Structures are given as C-alpha cells and as structure tokens.
Amino acid sequence: MYHNKRFQLDSLFLLVALNHEQIKNSTTAGYLLADKIRFHEIAARILSIKNSTLTTLVEKLKRGSFKPESDEEKDCFKLLLDLDHVSYKVQGSITSKRYMRNETWSLVSSLGAPSWFITFAQADIKHPLALYFADTDLTFAPELRDPNERMRLIANNPVAGAQFFKVMVDMFIMHVLGVGLDHPGQYGETAGYYGTVEQ
C-alpha cells in the first residue's frame, strides 16, 4: 500500500475520472465505427434527416411507443441503432447492459442454466483488510477500532471499499470456484461463471 491517498480521499475525483473514462470510451467507439464499411451509409443517413422528422418523432414518443411508418422515421430508428452500437463500450449505458444480458443468455445456452446464484455483501466496516486499505498506515496491523472511526475511514475512501470488494471476489473465484487452480473448487469442477456489479 502507499501512504499518499489524496486522489482516493477527494470526493469529486472519482466522479470526474468516471466521466472522463466514459467520454474517452464513447469517443473511441465513434472512431472505431468510422472505420467500418457502413460509414458512408450512416453519414448519408445523418445528413439526410430533417429536423421536422425528429420533432414529429419526439412528439409521438411522448405519447408512448409506436411503430415507425414513413421511410424518414425508419431511417431515424436505424440511426438510433447505430448510435446504440457506439455506446456499448460506455460503462453503465443501456446498451452495455444489453450486451451483458446477451452474454449471460449465451452462457446459459452454451452451458445450461446456472446451478446457483451468489450475491456479495461484505461488511467492509468490520473487516481489518478493508480498514487497512482505507487507512494511511503502511504496515498491516489488525487492531480494534471505534465503530465511528471505522465508518469514517470507509466513507471517506470509497476506493478502499472497491479494492476490498475486488480482493474478496478474486479470492472467491479462486478458492471456492477453483478457477485457475489445478484442483476442483469447493463444489466440484466449475464449467463457467459470470459476474456483474450493481450500477
């Protein structure tokens, strides 16, 4: 561990860093899309869309879902599909969640229905490793702390909570599921697993 945690303890840094990462990912995806064969078709569709068509679509969507009727409306919906394709690399976007859902269904189709589901909810304010990640001490020394001090340490350093979560998940995958080891896990051979975090 390192003693200088100024970025971890800054309440706005994580939000700014996440926004920058999302902007970078969406920009990169846009550039990757520009390299595809369909670029000229998409560009022509963008240039041919009329403002009046977009206004009509907005008004119709305000009233609820509907099926596009004219060719111009269909072109708008095709464009939305292409923009969806761009946003799948942006973490937390609707499209990225749809891709994760498709990956899950593919895994179920390939390996069968999952045998069991697990939800992690670690008590990071009670675990000495999480408190060590949140503190500025370089030496690990489990000690009894006041409950208010423990809550303050974790609340002021959300990165420590994330680090602790990753360690616990990695340990679970390795030691309980037996992934990456030369012997089966606690429940036998693991055919596959899939994990997500709440967003």
Side-chain angles (χ1 to χ4, degrees):
M1 290 301 294
Y2 53 94
H3 69 285
N4 188 349
K5 299 184 178 180
R6 71 178 79 176
F7 294 114
Q8 289 179 219
L9 298 173
D10 188 327
S11 59
L12 294 176
F13 176 74
L14 295 175
L15 184 62
V16 172
L18 175 66
N19 286 341
H20 276 283
E21 184 181 350
Q22 288 181 326
I23 290 168
K24 183 183 78 116
N25 287 343
S26 59
T27 305
T28 306
Y31 285 131
L32 291 174
L33 186 65
D35 293 337
K36 293 193 173 205
I37 299 169
R38 294 173 47 227
F39 174 72
H40 294 294
E41 173 202 337
I42 294 167
R45 235 181 303 132
I46 289 173
L47 293 173
S48 68
I49 288 177
K50 297 175 184 171
N51 285 338
S52 58
T53 308
L54 290 173
T55 308
T56 307
L57 280 178
V58 169
E59 292 303 320
K60 287 182 177 179
L61 286 169
K62 279 181 183 176
R63 286 175 285 202
S65 60
F66 76 100
K67 190 174 180 181
E69 298 160 359
S70 68
D71 289 337
E72 291 174 346
E73 289 178 350
K74 288 177 182 173
D75 283 344
C76 283
F77 273 84
K78 282 182 189 172
L79 188 60
L80 285 174
L81 288 175
D82 293 327
L83 294 175
D84 244 12
H85 183 69
V86 172
S87 67
Y88 87 93
K89 293 197 173 188
V90 180
Q91 285 185 350
S93 69
I94 302 285
T95 312
S96 71
K97 292 176 184 175
R98 189 181 312 141
Y99 272 60
M100 287 165 51
R101 197 177 315 120
N102 290 342
E103 288 173 345
T104 308
W105 281 116
S106 297
L107 197 60
V108 168
S109 176
S110 172
L111 300 174
S115 301
W116 41 290
F117 296 87
I118 293 180
T119 301
F120 286 103
Q122 295 93 287
D124 47 7
I125 62 169
K126 295 184 178 180
H127 200 286
L129 185 61
L131 296 171
Y132 168 66
F133 285 157
D135 204 358
T136 54
D137 289 341
L138 295 175
T139 310
F140 177 70
E143 55 187 74
L144 295 173
R145 296 176 187 255
D146 179 70
N148 288 331
E149 182 189 358
R150 289 182 295 180
M151 282 190 211
R152 221 175 8 262
L153 273 172
I154 296 297
N156 288 332
N157 193 343
V159 174
Q163 285 176 322
F164 175 65
F165 179 79
K166 181 167 180 359
V167 167
M168 297 304 284
V169 170
D170 288 344
M171 292 298 105
F172 178 84
I173 290 170
M174 180 184 290
H175 296 294
V176 177
L177 299 183
V179 175
L181 299 177
D182 56 356
H183 57 80
Q186 299 292 319
Y187 300 98
E189 292 286 347
T190 301
Y193 65 93
Y194 193 88
T196 62
V197 294
E198 292 180 0
Q199 298 178 351

